[in-house]
């Protein structure tokens, strides 16, 4: 530790003798937003934040992150919660600590750039509802996408924190693209835009300790405004990088309460508080107060979300992130997507393809939404490409990226990918070079007209404008037009404990009480015994026929078999009919009527059908837009014909292989 960080007393009574720091490190708590977004898919409910809200307010955090990122999406899509109400509710409990949100610049809290009128309205309503600090980033570090939202932040008298998304093309910071000059120049741009603070947003936990030191030093020399470091723990380096950044003079650090920390989340606050105790960067935080919050989270809150945690890994770090650079939350989504498609065995191919796709798409940083853009396109390439054709199934967002709707990439996009992606693209086949939102038409008034029969206020209208499909569905739940699905209802602590008990019993084979074999045999009148052979073992299986149908009564490991001489080979039997896979009802019906089914190539959400029953289509014509992991896939007609039947509606979820429509 450097000289100025040495303890000022060798013997210190924690409560009485703790000296006040000369330059205390400021901390922003991410527990209520990025913590649960990183660890359990942003499923944290407002009701589970209230028990700790007042206690968090008493700690002395610089700010507490409560909103933005994926919270706006998941609250209404999965939790049956109004995202706006979350801010208002928490504000009643956290009265002294500023609220921070993660704003994706012109992307707002969605996955594309929205028109200027909608962006302005969203930022203004966020400020009115209670957001104080707008942590603003652009996935491409293209600050033209700040030009609409920043003036509204300033007009509302709020704090504008400008972010630089941290990424690399080399094993460490440097090379021709993402070197120290790149970050210093970006910081100077943000300073000119009036940033109140500058944040290095290390979304994948890539920044190495000595690079953190060098970067913070350079930024502190280049600009006069405070510097904030945000680094996920994924690779295991973040805690070390925090310390080196503190030595270099960083002003603010992000942490989480320990139950919501580590893995793909952030370093925990408690070890850092104790590390800096008595130094000139001492936070001044009360470790006992933090312990009280942790006890509530650990005992009363986290058990409700245990089923969402990834317990398949022994290690709490993932060094592979240093190779593929995919943020932890995105990686878990990719794995789930492959699992749903019965293609989890392709994960190594996905890892190999990721850097190739990223390079093709301009070496873009991997953060929402670009991490999804690169990740889903990578999965599509692995699953659908052929030897002679790459990028066979290009998502709508990759097409938008190639057109320039997200902004300018650090290096040019592969021209061959641009040519293929923009073939037949509705806006044109030549990329734009202007600010992306300049080609977008106003969209708020149109959305207001579409939802006027359901929306009650401007916040409802903005929700629908950003998420038309899931937003409309939620508003129907909110106003009692449709019944809320059971899976969207909250879980009680008792429910969670009962589920955990069942899982524990199941793993131990204790789900059903065992009876002695004699008891079974005495109860069974029509007991028959079979021997079942599995590899080199066999089991005795007791089967009782009740009402004609055999019922398994017990399974008992049998004694090892003595070696059996090899029998003379028997004539091969006639080939049996292959085992029938579970048939989909729709294809069978289609076949009977002479139609040809268009099946979903991957699981997802129906966004919109571009045809109706009775329409004529040519092969390749767009039929339906299918959203998979927030990215849109345009599915074309696989044959000429007439749309004979449409099987789903906008907002319906479908599995891989489900028949979307029938073309006859």
């Amino acid at each position: 530790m450097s000289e100025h960080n040495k303890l000022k007393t060798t013997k210190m009574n924690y409560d009485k003798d703790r000296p006040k720091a000369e330059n205390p490190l400021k901390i922003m708590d991410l527990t209520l937003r990025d913590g649960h977004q990183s660890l359990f898919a942003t499923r944290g409910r407002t009701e589970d934040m209230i028990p700790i809200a007042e206690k968090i307010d008493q700690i002395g955090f610089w700010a507490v992150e409560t909103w933005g990122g994926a919270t706006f999406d998941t609250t209404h899509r999965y939790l049956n919660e109004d995202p706006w109400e979350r801010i208002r509710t928490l504000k009643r409990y956290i009265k002294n600590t500023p609220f921070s949100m993660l704003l994706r610049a012109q992307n707002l809290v969605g996955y594309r750039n929205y028109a200027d009128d909608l962006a302005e309205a969203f930022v203004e309503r966020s400020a009115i509802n209670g957001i104080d600090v707008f942590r603003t980033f652009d996935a491409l570090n293209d600050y033209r996408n700040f030009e609409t939202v920043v003036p509204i932040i300033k007009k509302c008298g709020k704090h504008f924190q400008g972010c630089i998304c941290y990424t690399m093309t080399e094993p460490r910071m440097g090379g021709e693209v993402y070197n120290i000059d790149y970050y210093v120049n970006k910081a100077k741009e943000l300073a000119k835009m009036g940033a109140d603070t500058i944040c290095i947003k290390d979304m994948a936990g890539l920044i190495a300790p000595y690079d953190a030191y060098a970067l913070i030093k350079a930024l502190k020399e280049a600009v006069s405004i405070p510097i904030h470091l945000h680094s996920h723990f994924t690779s295991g380096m973040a805690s070390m990088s925090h310390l080196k950044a503190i030595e270099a003079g960083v002003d603010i650090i992000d942490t989480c309460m320990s139950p919501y920390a580590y893995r793909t989340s952030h370093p925990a606050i408690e070890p850092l508080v104790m590390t800096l105790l008595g130094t000139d960067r001492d936070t001044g935080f009360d470790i006992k107060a933090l312990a009280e919050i942790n006890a509530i989270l650990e005992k009363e809150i986290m058990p409700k979300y245990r089923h969402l945690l990834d317990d398949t890994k022994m290690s709490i770090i993932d060094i592979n992130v240093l190779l593929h650079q995919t943020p932890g939350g995105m990686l878990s989504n990719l794995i789930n997507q492959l699992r749903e498609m019965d293609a989890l065995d392709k994960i190594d191919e996905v890892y190999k393809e990721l850097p190739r796709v990223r390079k093709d798409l301009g070496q873009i940083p991997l953060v929402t939404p670009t991490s999804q853009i690169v990740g889903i396109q990578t999965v599509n390439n692995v699953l659908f490409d052929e030897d002679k054709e790459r990028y066979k199934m290009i998502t709508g967002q990759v097409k938008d990226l190639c057109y320039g709707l997200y902004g300018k990439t650090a290096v040019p996009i592969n021209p061959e990918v641009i040519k293929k992606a923009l073939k037949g693209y509705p806006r044109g086949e030549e990329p734009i070079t202007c600010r992306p939102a300049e080609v977008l038409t106003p969209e708020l008034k149109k959305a207001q007209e579409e939802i006027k029969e359901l929306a009650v206020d401007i916040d409802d209208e903005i929700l629908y404008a950003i998420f038309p499909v899931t937003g409309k569905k939620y508003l129907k739940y909110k106003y009692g037009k449709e019944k809320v699905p059971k899976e969207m209802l909250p879980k009680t602590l008792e429910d969670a404990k009962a589920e955990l008990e069942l899982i524990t019993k199941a793993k131990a084979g204790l789900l059903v009480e065992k009876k002695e074999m004699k008891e079974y045999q005495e109860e069974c009148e029509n007991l028959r015994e079979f021997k079942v052979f599995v590899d080199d073992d066999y089991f005795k299986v007791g089967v009782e026929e009740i009402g004609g149908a055999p019922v398994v009564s017990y399974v008992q490991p049998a004694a090892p078999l003595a070696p059996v001489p090899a029998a003379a080979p028997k004539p091969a039997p006639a080939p049996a009919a292959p085992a029938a896979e579970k048939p989909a009802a729709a294809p069978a019906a289609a076949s009977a009527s002479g139609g040809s089914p268009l099946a979903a190539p991957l699981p997802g959400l129906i966004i919109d059908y571009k045809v109706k029953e009775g329409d004529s289509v040519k092969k390749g014509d767009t039929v339906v837009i299918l959203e998979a992991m927030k990215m849109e896939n345009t599915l074309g007609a696989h044959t000429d014909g007439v749309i004979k039947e449409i099987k789903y509606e906008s907002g319906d979820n479908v599995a891989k292989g489900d028949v979307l429509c029938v073309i006859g």
Side-chain angles (χ1 to χ4, degrees), residues 418-485:
I418 292 178
K419 183 178 178 182
K420 184 162 190 176
L422 297 185
K423 184 178 180 181
Y425 184 72
R427 293 179 180 273
E429 298 190 357
E430 288 296 320
I432 60 172
T433 57
C434 62
R435 181 176 73 92
E438 290 179 18
V439 303
L440 301 177
T441 56
E443 52 188 310
L444 183 55
K445 285 185 179 179
K446 179 175 179 289
Q448 289 171 324
E449 182 63 27
E450 291 172 349
I451 202 66
K452 66 181 180 181
E453 301 299 328
L454 191 54
V456 168
D457 56 24
I458 182 65
D459 290 345
D460 285 348
E461 293 165 349
I462 291 173
L463 169 61
Y464 170 78
I466 298 176
F467 294 103
V469 177
T470 56
K472 185 175 184 179
K473 209 172 203 34
Y474 164 70
L475 291 176
K476 289 179 179 179
Y477 300 148
K478 180 179 178 180
Y479 296 117
K481 305 294 184 184
E482 289 185 8
K483 186 178 179 181
V484 179

Side-chain angles (χ1 to χ4, degrees), residues 101-322:
M101 76 161 289
L102 183 64
L103 178 70
R104 297 169 184 157
Q106 200 85 23
N107 284 183
L108 305 181
V109 285
Y111 308 99
R112 64 174 175 87
N113 272 350
Y114 295 92
D116 287 338
D117 65 327
L118 179 55
E120 291 172 357
F122 175 83
V123 172
E124 185 174 36
R125 290 303 303 167
S126 300
I128 290 171
N129 274 285
I131 297 301
D132 304 295
V133 177
F134 286 80
R135 168 173 280 179
T136 310
F137 80 94
D138 178 72
L140 302 183
N141 289 328
D142 184 345
Y143 296 142
R144 295 177 302 170
N145 289 322
F146 282 25
E147 291 177 13
T148 297
V149 297
V150 168
I152 306 301
I153 296 170
K154 292 290 189 179
K155 175 186 171 185
C156 293
K158 301 300 181 179
H159 183 110
F160 162 44
Q161 181 171 95
C163 290
I164 310 170
C165 293
Y166 184 85
T167 190
M168 305 182 302
T169 56
E170 313 296 323
R172 291 274 297 273
M173 181 177 66
E176 295 182 3
V177 184
Y178 298 112
N179 49 43
I180 205 159
D181 289 338
Y182 172 89
Y183 294 108
V184 167
N185 290 333
K186 289 294 177 183
K188 289 178 179 178
E189 284 185 54
L190 291 172
K192 286 181 182 178
M193 294 186 77
D196 297 296
T197 51
I198 292 175
C199 176
I200 298 299
K201 181 175 169 57
D202 177 23
M203 50 280 177
L206 301 176
I207 194 165
Y210 290 106
D211 290 341
Y213 182 89
L215 180 55
I216 299 301
K217 272 284 189 188
L219 293 177
K220 294 292 289 182
E221 291 170 4
V223 296
S224 59
I225 54 183
I227 305 299
H228 194 147
L229 178 61
H230 167 101
S231 182
H232 284 254
F233 188 77
T234 316
S235 69
M237 292 194 294
S239 296
M240 295 182 286
S241 297
H242 275 181
L243 274 181
K244 293 303 293 182
I246 291 166
E247 288 184 7
V250 75
D251 299 279
I252 316 167
I253 290 285
D254 284 346
T255 61
C256 286
M257 298 292 174
S258 58
Y260 282 45
Y262 302 123
R263 298 191 181 272
T264 55
S265 181
H266 295 262
I269 174 64
E270 301 84 0
L272 185 61
V273 168
M274 297 308 291
T275 298
L276 299 178
L277 188 69
T279 74
D280 66 358
R281 302 305 309 272
D282 191 336
T283 61
F285 292 175
D286 184 350
I287 193 70
K288 295 176 183 176
L290 293 171
E292 289 177 12
I293 296 171
N294 284 333
I296 296 171
L297 290 173
E298 187 70 34
K299 296 175 183 177
E300 300 176 23
I301 308 301
M302 285 297 284
K304 297 183 185 181
Y305 302 100
R306 191 184 298 272
H307 65 291
L308 293 169
L309 297 173
D310 182 5
D311 61 356
T312 61
K313 286 187 65 181
M314 295 294 289
S315 175
I316 65 168
I317 67 170
D318 179 10
I319 60 164
N320 287 315
V321 73
L322 301 173

Side-chain angles (χ1 to χ4, degrees), residues 349-360:
E349 293 179 49
V350 169
Y351 287 154
K352 291 176 184 175
E353 179 70 0
L354 260 168
R356 292 196 287 263
V357 172
R358 185 187 178 216
K359 185 177 180 181
D360 282 342

